[in-house]
Amino acid sequence: MFKLKSIIIDDSPLAVESIKNMVELFFSDEIEIIQTFNQGTEALMQIHLLQPDVVFLDVEMPGMNGFEIKNLISPSLNIKIVIISGKETYALKAIKNTVFDFLVKPIVLSDFRDCINKLKITIEKELFVKSQIDNNVLVINRQDKTIFVSMETITHIEASGPYTNIYFDGKKISSSKNFKHYETILDPNIFYKVHRSCLINLNKIKEIQKYEGDGAVVLSDGTKIELSKPKKDELLKTILKNNKN
């Protein structure tokens, strides 16, 4: 089991010590505090270097407040932000700012336990998905079984209400994950979004048909997907760009 790397940003030494003591006493096997900061500017300079799994972030601080700091952390780092505050009124704002969790000061042990559990589950799932994609395998979890699909066999992926249909080797399977999930995790240089509910594997394009204005893309399995003129032109530019690279 890996340890979560964490940073605390809080201008209150007492609050910092409280979290550190809680971690040392009850969570030392699960989380490691790699650095603490009492204001945002210095923290922002170091976060991109330290790349923690989670940042425990106070709201009311001199200079930048916690939400301003949160919005300056690059989403590409995928750092989980846990807002900590003595004011429960910040909870709604935390939700609107899509933070991972919100803890009220003084932090209750059971609330911290729940937060750590959620962090571990979420990060472990993300690492598993990433490892499979790195190995060119798409993992599709269903209620009855888990299916492993080689990425290179997938022709296209389509939204189907709250579910997603994945087409490969002339077969179709449904995933309980929504379309946005696959749009987020798949490489956009390979899986191109031809419209709001369909991704195609650029390596599976057989031909692009040009009509007057609009067009269509035909995949290796014979699937024909209609294209608007802007999308047809954009797709052609993308293919030409990829071929140059």
Side-chain angles (χ1 to χ4, degrees), residues 1-32:
M1 176 66 65
F2 66 94
K3 275 190 180 184
L4 300 172
K5 296 188 298 181
S6 69
I7 283 176
I8 303 171
I9 308 175
D10 197 316
D11 65 328
S12 167
L14 185 62
V16 172
E17 284 303 310
S18 176
I19 296 176
K20 287 176 69 176
N21 289 337
M22 192 177 294
V23 168
E24 289 171 5
L25 286 171
F26 302 102
F27 304 98
S28 60
D29 291 337
E30 300 167 83
I31 188 166
E32 175 187 3

Side-chain angles (χ1 to χ4, degrees), residues 34-156:
I34 57 176
Q35 189 63 274
T36 64
F37 301 92
N38 57 23
Q39 51 89 24
T41 305
E42 183 185 1
L44 284 170
M45 292 173 62
Q46 294 297 315
I47 281 174
H48 288 71
L49 295 173
L50 297 170
Q51 296 193 13
D53 298 304
V54 55
V55 171
F56 295 100
L57 180 59
D58 186 25
V59 176
E60 295 182 352
M61 292 183 288
M64 285 184 289
N65 66 45
F67 294 111
E68 291 171 328
I69 295 169
K70 184 263 179 189
N71 291 329
L72 289 172
I73 297 173
S74 173
S76 66
L77 295 176
N78 196 26
I79 295 171
K80 307 297 182 279
I81 306 297
V82 177
I83 292 290
I84 52 175
S85 175
K87 297 182 179 179
E88 293 187 50
T89 51
Y90 283 123
L92 181 58
K93 189 171 182 179
I95 293 171
K96 289 182 177 179
N97 278 265
T98 60
V99 302
F100 182 82
D101 207 349
F102 179 86
L103 295 173
V104 180
K105 296 178 183 178
I107 299 173
V108 178
L109 180 61
S110 60
D111 290 343
F112 199 73
R113 169 78 276 171
D114 290 343
C115 178
I116 298 300
N117 285 343
K118 285 191 291 184
L119 283 164
K120 287 166 57 181
I121 291 170
T122 300
I123 291 172
E124 283 174 0
K125 284 183 178 179
E126 290 176 350
L127 288 173
F128 178 72
V129 169
K130 184 179 184 301
S131 70
Q132 298 307 312
I133 290 176
D134 287 345
N135 290 322
N136 204 33
V137 174
L138 185 64
V139 180
I140 303 166
N141 289 307
R142 306 201 324 182
Q143 287 186 338
D144 56 338
K145 56 187 172 183
T146 300
I147 302 169
F148 300 86
V149 178
S150 173
M151 213 79 74
E152 62 187 20
T153 66
I154 298 172
T155 53
H156 61 297

Side-chain angles (χ1 to χ4, degrees), residues 185-199:
I185 67 170
L186 293 173
D187 185 351
N189 293 314
I190 298 175
F191 289 91
Y192 177 83
K193 189 176 180 181
V194 287
H195 53 72
R196 64 180 183 178
S197 59
C198 183
L199 293 166

